Each structure stands twice: as C-alpha cells, then as structure tokens.
C-alpha cells in the first residue's frame, strides 16, 4: 500500500511540475514574444533525432527559455547543483527535464544521464561557459561538455540567445548549423577536446554577434 501511495504521489508531482512548466512557457511566450531563427533548416531535423545544443549564458532564465521555444522537440538542460539542490526548487526540478551537474568536483553522473537522453532521441542543452556572463564579459568554454557528443557521435548545434527578457520585448533564439568537429582526432584527449571547444566558442559568439535576418525561419 505504501509503495502504491509513493507511486501515486510521484505521478502527481510529475503532472504538477509539467503543468507548471507549461504555464510558465505560455506566460513567457506572451511576455517576451519569443521567436526562433534557424540559419540552417537542417538543424531542426537533426534536433528531432537528438543533439547536443550549446549556447551563451546571460540569464538564469535561459534554461527555461530554450526548451520552451524548441517545443515539441524534447530538450534536457544541464543545471548546476547549486540551484538543483535548493530545498524549495529541488522538488520541482526533479520532475522537470533537468540534468544536475556538480561544477565543484569531478562528476561523471551527468555524462551518463546526458548520453541516455541522446540515445532516446532527446536533445541535451549545455551552457559551456559554466556560469553567467557578467557586465558583457564572456567566459571561455569548458571542454568537458563535448564528452557525450564524442562518445555517441552526436551532432553539436550552436545557438545564441538575444534579448534581456524584458516584458513585451522580443526574445530570440538563433540556431546555427551542426558543427563539423573532429572529436576522434589523434592526440591527447584533452588537446582534442580543447581544440573543438575553441571552435564551438567562436561559432556561438559569432552567432551572438551577428545580425538577425529580416525574415526569421520557424
């Protein structure tokens, strides 16, 4: 009887969390008039099969904005345990599409969870800077984000988030082309990943600095 009650309680929390996520998404679309621009329509098809998504990181709202704007594509988002483990947030985060990562010590659990999501055809959203940009100062990418892509040969798709989440102002997600990274090149793994990470960093920041096309593709 106890197990049945636990399962029922878990199902209720799942339903409640997903309903809350849906409501937040609906409000976000109204308040921030979100739109998605695909510079390469082929990227959308790749995301439907699962891909590693990378973007710049300027606001804590980014982790909500991206999966909501890409719906119905399923997106799991990496989130630091600093936020994931907060008492008032954890009951919600545990029932939403987030993958916790410990940035203060070696953590392989997130890799296994990310790879599991990719194998199921889901996308994994990662902010490689590892922290928010402050006062316009960008952070160098941390190369470990490429490990799931290397293990599974998953596509890596760069993105840029433009806007400041101001009410009734357009908030835009720019989606670039899948990157041609050689993650199996000869040499030390750290050197291979660092080189690929630098390519990703240039591509993401180039998207962030670029002009938005007059006619966005959705």
């Amino acid at each position: 009887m106890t197990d049945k009650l636990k399962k029922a309680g878990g199902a209720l929390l799942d339903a409640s969390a997903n309903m809350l996520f849906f409501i937040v998404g609906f409000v976000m679309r109204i308040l921030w008039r979100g739109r998605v621009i695909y510079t390469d329509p082929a990227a959308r098809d790749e995301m439907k099969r699962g891909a590693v998504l990378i973007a710049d990181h300027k606001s804590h709202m980014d982790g909500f904005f991206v999966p909501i704007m890409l719906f119905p594509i399923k997106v799991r988002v990496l989130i630091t345990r600093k936020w994931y483990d907060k008492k008032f947030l954890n009951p919600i985060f545990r029932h939403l599409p987030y993958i916790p990562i410990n940035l203060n010590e070696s953590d392989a659990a997130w890799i296994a969870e990310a790879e599991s999501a990719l194998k199921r055809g889901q996308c994994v959203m990662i902010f490689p800077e590892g922290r928010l940009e402050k006062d316009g100062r960008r952070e160098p990418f941390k190369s470990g984000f490429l490990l799931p892509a290397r293990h599974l040969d998953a596509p890596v798709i760069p993105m840029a988030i433009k806007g400041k989440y101001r009410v009734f102002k357009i908030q835009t997600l720019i989606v670039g082309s899948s990157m041609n990274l050689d993650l199996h090149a000869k040499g030390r793994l750290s050197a291979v990943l660092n080189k690929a990470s630098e390519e990703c960093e240039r591509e993401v920041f180039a998207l962030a600095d670029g002009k938005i096309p007059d006619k966005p593709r959705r």
Side-chain angles (χ1 to χ4, degrees):
M1 185 66 176
T2 303
D3 289 340
K4 289 183 179 180
L5 287 174
K6 286 183 178 179
K7 289 181 179 180
L12 181 60
L13 281 173
D14 279 341
S16 299
N18 282 302
M19 178 61 70
L20 177 61
F21 196 73
F22 175 81
I23 293 172
V24 170
F26 181 75
V27 172
M28 287 181 73
R29 284 179 176 271
I30 293 175
L31 293 182
W32 295 312
R33 299 169 59 195
R35 64 174 177 175
V36 181
I37 295 173
Y38 289 93
T39 63
D40 179 3
R44 179 163 41 186
D45 293 329
E46 287 190 288
M47 286 192 289
K48 292 177 181 178
R49 298 187 293 271
V52 174
L53 313 179
I54 56 174
D56 51 345
H57 198 20
K58 298 177 182 176
S59 168
H60 291 300
M61 296 302 298
D62 295 340
F64 290 96
F65 178 69
V66 173
I68 286 169
M69 292 310 300
L70 292 179
F71 181 83
I73 294 171
K74 294 182 178 179
V75 181
R76 303 286 303 280
V77 182
L78 245 66
I79 179 173
T80 173
R81 282 203 170 273
K82 174 184 176 181
W83 287 97
Y84 188 86
D85 290 336
K86 286 184 180 295
K87 289 183 179 180
F88 63 97
L89 290 175
N90 183 258
I92 298 174
F93 283 151
R94 283 189 292 108
H95 296 273
L96 288 175
Y98 292 99
I99 299 174
I101 178 173
N102 191 333
L103 297 177
N104 297 319
E105 58 185 57
S106 179
D107 182 6
W110 77 268
I111 298 175
E113 196 166 347
E115 291 179 4
S116 177
L118 290 168
K119 289 176 181 178
R120 294 195 300 270
Q122 299 176 351
C123 289
V124 176
M125 180 78 234
I126 302 175
F127 301 102
E129 290 172 279
R131 64 179 66 183
L132 294 179
E133 298 176 8
K134 293 184 178 180
D135 301 320
R137 186 176 69 250
R138 291 166 171 168
E139 300 289 338
F141 280 19
K142 294 172 175 57
S143 60
F145 74 91
L146 287 167
L147 286 171
R150 182 179 188 273
H151 294 163
L152 300 178
D153 291 319
V156 177
I157 299 176
M159 300 179 170
I161 302 169
K162 298 182 77 73
K164 297 182 179 180
Y165 297 100
R166 291 175 178 169
V167 177
F168 302 128
K169 298 293 184 181
I170 294 176
Q171 188 76 16
T172 303
L173 177 66
I174 303 175
V175 182
S177 301
S178 178
M179 298 192 65
N180 184 23
L181 301 171
D182 187 0
L183 298 178
H184 299 283
K186 293 182 180 179
R188 289 183 296 109
L189 176 60
S190 59
V192 172
L193 294 181
N194 283 336
K195 181 180 178 181
S197 176
E198 290 172 359
E199 291 181 48
C200 292
E201 182 179 315
R202 286 193 295 270
E203 188 68 19
V204 167
F205 291 154
L207 284 174
D209 292 336
K211 294 181 178 179
I212 299 175
D214 293 331
K215 295 182 179 180
R217 295 183 288 270
R218 182 69 170 93

